Amino acid sequence: MYGMRSSLGVKGDSPVMQMETTNRGIIHPVKGKRDPDLGPVAVMVMLPHELKRLVRESGALEIPFSETPLYSLYLIEGGTGEPIALTGPFIGAPHAVMGLEKLIVLGAKKIWVLGWCGSLQPHLKIGDLVIPERAISEEGTSPHYPLAGKAAKCDSRLNHMLEDAITRAGRNFAKGNIWTTDAIYRETPEKVGIFQKKSVLCVEMELSALLTVAAYRSSALTALLVVSDELSNLKWKPGFSDPRLKESTRLAGDLLLDLAKTSAGFNASE
């Protein structure tokens, strides 16, 4: 456990600090000696292969930092804008939240997330695009972040930008609530049926926790999900080798990177 804490670049509070900040974690995210200063915009990519493609095509440079063994961090620089952080891959709420906490402590305030999801509704097919609004949590990370009245939801301004970009690309999208779970092998017929009746669009493993932490840390976050498999008829239909998934994932990655560049001011002088 000590080695893990050391690799995270985290520190414990003194007894005095613990008394003064009782709601603060004894271990908390900090900027380590090897950590860079980031600009305000970041893209979190859950998917290893898509992260590699975006790094390659954007010319992003890998940056060593205190959490390097757990995931990778890259910087994209260009034009007159702020640098963009590109980071991943992540799997599950705890892992993704560790990455988000580090991004925020290094300066990120607008975070775009790319991931896959399993569709719960018959009209959502492999390769379709989903813009979440809120996420129903069945994961164990978000309850540790008390929001005191703040709403854990996607940032409306970022969502509007995302909707406009998808529309300009000539693609349709679904927008609504999603379900986040820790237990991929416990997506039971009973649960799927309950969420279907509530018009929940899809299921994935990170977003409710990411939205909660973003609200807790006063940062803006939204996501674009691509349907990778279908559960709506209570039988699993995987689409991981489907060309529609590959095409839509590439499109989603490109759209998010373009939006990140826009929000970072890359085109300000053009």
mmCIF file of all heavy atoms in Angstrom, residues 241-266:
data_model
loop_
_atom_site.group_PDB
_atom_site.id
_atom_site.type_symbol
_atom_site.label_atom_id
_atom_site.label_comp_id
_atom_site.label_asym_id
_atom_site.label_seq_id
_atom_site.Cartn_x
_atom_site.Cartn_y
_atom_site.Cartn_z
ATOM 1 N N SER A 241 -16.138 -6.300 -33.001
ATOM 2 C CA SER A 241 -15.498 -6.461 -34.307
ATOM 3 C C SER A 241 -16.321 -5.825 -35.428
ATOM 4 O O SER A 241 -15.967 -5.956 -36.601
ATOM 5 C CB SER A 241 -15.272 -7.946 -34.608
ATOM 6 O OG SER A 241 -16.516 -8.646 -34.647
ATOM 7 N N ASP A 242 -17.369 -5.130 -35.066
ATOM 8 C CA ASP A 242 -18.262 -4.517 -36.049
ATOM 9 C C ASP A 242 -17.616 -3.253 -36.623
ATOM 10 O O ASP A 242 -17.184 -2.382 -35.868
ATOM 11 C CB ASP A 242 -19.596 -4.152 -35.377
ATOM 12 C CG ASP A 242 -20.689 -3.829 -36.369
ATOM 13 O OD1 ASP A 242 -20.436 -3.031 -37.303
ATOM 14 O OD2 ASP A 242 -21.812 -4.346 -36.210
ATOM 15 N N PRO A 243 -17.531 -3.118 -37.932
ATOM 16 C CA PRO A 243 -16.920 -1.911 -38.517
ATOM 17 C C PRO A 243 -17.659 -0.628 -38.141
ATOM 18 O O PRO A 243 -17.065 0.450 -38.148
ATOM 19 C CB PRO A 243 -16.964 -2.175 -40.028
ATOM 20 C CG PRO A 243 -17.964 -3.271 -40.214
ATOM 21 C CD PRO A 243 -17.919 -4.087 -38.970
ATOM 22 N N ARG A 244 -18.954 -0.728 -37.821
ATOM 23 C CA ARG A 244 -19.684 0.467 -37.399
ATOM 24 C C ARG A 244 -19.130 1.012 -36.086
ATOM 25 O O ARG A 244 -19.088 2.237 -35.887
ATOM 26 C CB ARG A 244 -21.174 0.149 -37.240
ATOM 27 C CG ARG A 244 -21.903 -0.193 -38.525
ATOM 28 C CD ARG A 244 -23.333 -0.621 -38.226
ATOM 29 N NE ARG A 244 -23.370 -1.852 -37.423
ATOM 30 C CZ ARG A 244 -24.488 -2.386 -36.933
ATOM 31 N NH1 ARG A 244 -25.665 -1.770 -37.141
ATOM 32 N NH2 ARG A 244 -24.441 -3.508 -36.238
ATOM 33 N N LEU A 245 -18.699 0.136 -35.204
ATOM 34 C CA LEU A 245 -18.122 0.579 -33.937
ATOM 35 C C LEU A 245 -16.796 1.291 -34.175
ATOM 36 O O LEU A 245 -16.543 2.360 -33.604
ATOM 37 C CB LEU A 245 -17.925 -0.612 -33.003
ATOM 38 C CG LEU A 245 -17.263 -0.295 -31.661
ATOM 39 C CD1 LEU A 245 -18.086 0.705 -30.862
ATOM 40 C CD2 LEU A 245 -17.045 -1.574 -30.858
ATOM 41 N N LYS A 246 -15.962 0.728 -35.024
ATOM 42 C CA LYS A 246 -14.669 1.345 -35.309
ATOM 43 C C LYS A 246 -14.858 2.724 -35.935
ATOM 44 O O LYS A 246 -14.206 3.703 -35.522
ATOM 45 C CB LYS A 246 -13.855 0.452 -36.243
ATOM 46 C CG LYS A 246 -12.484 1.019 -36.586
ATOM 47 C CD LYS A 246 -11.698 0.068 -37.474
ATOM 48 C CE LYS A 246 -10.320 0.659 -37.802
ATOM 49 N NZ LYS A 246 -9.528 -0.263 -38.663
ATOM 50 N N GLU A 247 -15.752 2.816 -36.907
ATOM 51 C CA GLU A 247 -15.966 4.093 -37.593
ATOM 52 C C GLU A 247 -16.507 5.145 -36.643
ATOM 53 O O GLU A 247 -16.051 6.303 -36.638
ATOM 54 C CB GLU A 247 -16.926 3.881 -38.771
ATOM 55 C CG GLU A 247 -17.149 5.115 -39.638
ATOM 56 C CD GLU A 247 -18.259 6.020 -39.120
ATOM 57 O OE1 GLU A 247 -19.186 5.497 -38.463
ATOM 58 O OE2 GLU A 247 -18.200 7.250 -39.359
ATOM 59 N N SER A 248 -17.485 4.777 -35.830
ATOM 60 C CA SER A 248 -18.097 5.737 -34.918
ATOM 61 C C SER A 248 -17.138 6.151 -33.806
ATOM 62 O O SER A 248 -17.152 7.304 -33.357
ATOM 63 C CB SER A 248 -19.373 5.150 -34.312
ATOM 64 O OG SER A 248 -20.370 4.977 -35.289
ATOM 65 N N THR A 249 -16.307 5.215 -33.347
ATOM 66 C CA THR A 249 -15.339 5.550 -32.312
ATOM 67 C C THR A 249 -14.316 6.550 -32.833
ATOM 68 O O THR A 249 -13.945 7.511 -32.139
ATOM 69 C CB THR A 249 -14.633 4.285 -31.798
ATOM 70 O OG1 THR A 249 -15.614 3.374 -31.283
ATOM 71 C CG2 THR A 249 -13.645 4.618 -30.696
ATOM 72 N N ARG A 250 -13.857 6.344 -34.057
ATOM 73 C CA ARG A 250 -12.925 7.298 -34.667
ATOM 74 C C ARG A 250 -13.579 8.669 -34.811
ATOM 75 O O ARG A 250 -12.961 9.704 -34.518
ATOM 76 C CB ARG A 250 -12.448 6.792 -36.028
ATOM 77 C CG ARG A 250 -11.530 5.588 -35.964
ATOM 78 C CD ARG A 250 -11.200 5.078 -37.360
ATOM 79 N NE ARG A 250 -10.429 6.061 -38.116
ATOM 80 C CZ ARG A 250 -9.101 6.088 -38.176
ATOM 81 N NH1 ARG A 250 -8.389 5.160 -37.540
ATOM 82 N NH2 ARG A 250 -8.474 6.996 -38.893
ATOM 83 N N LEU A 251 -14.822 8.684 -35.268
ATOM 84 C CA LEU A 251 -15.542 9.953 -35.403
ATOM 85 C C LEU A 251 -15.675 10.642 -34.055
ATOM 86 O O LEU A 251 -15.420 11.854 -33.925
ATOM 87 C CB LEU A 251 -16.923 9.714 -36.006
ATOM 88 C CG LEU A 251 -17.857 10.946 -36.034
ATOM 89 C CD1 LEU A 251 -17.303 12.007 -36.970
ATOM 90 C CD2 LEU A 251 -19.274 10.532 -36.443
ATOM 91 N N ALA A 252 -16.065 9.882 -33.038
ATOM 92 C CA ALA A 252 -16.244 10.464 -31.705
ATOM 93 C C ALA A 252 -14.937 11.029 -31.174
ATOM 94 O O ALA A 252 -14.907 12.130 -30.599
ATOM 95 C CB ALA A 252 -16.802 9.402 -30.751
ATOM 96 N N GLY A 253 -13.852 10.295 -31.352
ATOM 97 C CA GLY A 253 -12.554 10.784 -30.900
ATOM 98 C C GLY A 253 -12.149 12.065 -31.604
ATOM 99 O O GLY A 253 -11.664 13.020 -30.974
ATOM 100 N N ASP A 254 -12.359 12.110 -32.922
ATOM 101 C CA ASP A 254 -12.011 13.310 -33.683
ATOM 102 C C ASP A 254 -12.871 14.502 -33.268
ATOM 103 O O ASP A 254 -12.373 15.635 -33.143
ATOM 104 C CB ASP A 254 -12.185 13.050 -35.178
ATOM 105 C CG ASP A 254 -11.145 12.069 -35.725
ATOM 106 O OD1 ASP A 254 -10.106 11.878 -35.065
ATOM 107 O OD2 ASP A 254 -11.389 11.499 -36.808
ATOM 108 N N LEU A 255 -14.166 14.260 -33.060
ATOM 109 C CA LEU A 255 -15.056 15.346 -32.644
ATOM 110 C C LEU A 255 -14.632 15.914 -31.287
ATOM 111 O O LEU A 255 -14.583 17.141 -31.101
ATOM 112 C CB LEU A 255 -16.501 14.853 -32.575
ATOM 113 C CG LEU A 255 -17.215 14.590 -33.898
ATOM 114 C CD1 LEU A 255 -18.595 13.987 -33.647
ATOM 115 C CD2 LEU A 255 -17.349 15.874 -34.705
ATOM 116 N N LEU A 256 -14.343 15.041 -30.337
ATOM 117 C CA LEU A 256 -13.953 15.512 -29.011
ATOM 118 C C LEU A 256 -12.629 16.268 -29.059
ATOM 119 O O LEU A 256 -12.466 17.293 -28.384
ATOM 120 C CB LEU A 256 -13.862 14.339 -28.043
ATOM 121 C CG LEU A 256 -15.190 13.721 -27.603
ATOM 122 C CD1 LEU A 256 -14.948 12.577 -26.631
ATOM 123 C CD2 LEU A 256 -16.096 14.758 -26.955
ATOM 124 N N LEU A 257 -11.687 15.784 -29.850
ATOM 125 C CA LEU A 257 -10.411 16.477 -29.942
ATOM 126 C C LEU A 257 -10.580 17.849 -30.593
ATOM 127 O O LEU A 257 -9.974 18.835 -30.147
ATOM 128 C CB LEU A 257 -9.412 15.630 -30.731
ATOM 129 C CG LEU A 257 -7.961 16.105 -30.702
ATOM 130 C CD1 LEU A 257 -7.457 16.232 -29.267
ATOM 131 C CD2 LEU A 257 -7.076 15.144 -31.491
ATOM 132 N N ASP A 258 -11.410 17.943 -31.626
ATOM 133 C CA ASP A 258 -11.679 19.238 -32.251
ATOM 134 C C ASP A 258 -12.348 20.196 -31.265
ATOM 135 O O ASP A 258 -12.015 21.391 -31.220
ATOM 136 C CB ASP A 258 -12.571 19.060 -33.483
ATOM 137 C CG ASP A 258 -11.822 18.464 -34.670
ATOM 138 O OD1 ASP A 258 -10.566 18.449 -34.638
ATOM 139 O OD2 ASP A 258 -12.489 17.999 -35.611
ATOM 140 N N LEU A 259 -13.295 19.693 -30.477
ATOM 141 C CA LEU A 259 -13.963 20.541 -29.490
ATOM 142 C C LEU A 259 -12.987 20.977 -28.399
ATOM 143 O O LEU A 259 -13.049 22.125 -27.921
ATOM 144 C CB LEU A 259 -15.145 19.797 -28.878
ATOM 145 C CG LEU A 259 -16.349 19.622 -29.796
ATOM 146 C CD1 LEU A 259 -17.356 18.649 -29.174
ATOM 147 C CD2 LEU A 259 -17.020 20.957 -30.084
ATOM 148 N N ALA A 260 -12.104 20.080 -28.007
ATOM 149 C CA ALA A 260 -11.097 20.448 -27.015
ATOM 150 C C ALA A 260 -10.198 21.555 -27.547
ATOM 151 O O ALA A 260 -9.872 22.513 -26.829
ATOM 152 C CB ALA A 260 -10.269 19.225 -26.636
ATOM 153 N N LYS A 261 -9.800 21.450 -28.817
ATOM 154 C CA LYS A 261 -8.974 22.495 -29.417
ATOM 155 C C LYS A 261 -9.709 23.824 -29.474
ATOM 156 O O LYS A 261 -9.129 24.884 -29.192
ATOM 157 C CB LYS A 261 -8.529 22.069 -30.818
ATOM 158 C CG LYS A 261 -7.513 20.933 -30.829
ATOM 159 C CD LYS A 261 -7.118 20.574 -32.249
ATOM 160 C CE LYS A 261 -6.049 19.489 -32.251
ATOM 161 N NZ LYS A 261 -5.651 19.101 -33.638
ATOM 162 N N THR A 262 -10.986 23.765 -29.821
ATOM 163 C CA THR A 262 -11.773 24.990 -29.853
ATOM 164 C C THR A 262 -11.869 25.628 -28.485
ATOM 165 O O THR A 262 -11.663 26.838 -28.311
ATOM 166 C CB THR A 262 -13.191 24.699 -30.396
ATOM 167 O OG1 THR A 262 -13.088 24.206 -31.733
ATOM 168 C CG2 THR A 262 -14.043 25.952 -30.380
ATOM 169 N N SER A 263 -12.177 24.826 -27.463
ATOM 170 C CA SER A 263 -12.333 25.379 -26.116
ATOM 171 C C SER A 263 -11.009 25.791 -25.504
ATOM 172 O O SER A 263 -10.972 26.588 -24.558
ATOM 173 C CB SER A 263 -13.046 24.368 -25.211
ATOM 174 O OG SER A 263 -12.419 23.107 -25.226
ATOM 175 N N ALA A 264 -9.879 25.281 -26.054
ATOM 176 C CA ALA A 264 -8.564 25.700 -25.583
ATOM 177 C C ALA A 264 -8.027 26.897 -26.352
ATOM 178 O O ALA A 264 -6.949 27.398 -26.060
ATOM 179 C CB ALA A 264 -7.578 24.546 -25.685
ATOM 180 N N GLY A 265 -8.791 27.358 -27.369
ATOM 181 C CA GLY A 265 -8.386 28.543 -28.120
ATOM 182 C C GLY A 265 -7.363 28.290 -29.195
ATOM 183 O O GLY A 265 -6.670 29.203 -29.632
ATOM 184 N N PHE A 266 -7.255 27.032 -29.695
ATOM 185 C CA PHE A 266 -6.285 26.732 -30.734
ATOM 186 C C PHE A 266 -6.540 27.543 -32.003
ATOM 187 O O PHE A 266 -5.620 27.860 -32.733
ATOM 188 C CB PHE A 266 -6.348 25.239 -31.078
ATOM 189 C CG PHE A 266 -5.352 24.404 -30.329
ATOM 190 C CD1 PHE A 266 -5.150 24.590 -28.985
ATOM 191 C CD2 PHE A 266 -4.601 23.449 -30.981
ATOM 192 C CE1 PHE A 266 -4.243 23.814 -28.276
ATOM 193 C CE2 PHE A 266 -3.677 22.659 -30.297
ATOM 194 C CZ PHE A 266 -3.490 22.857 -28.939
#
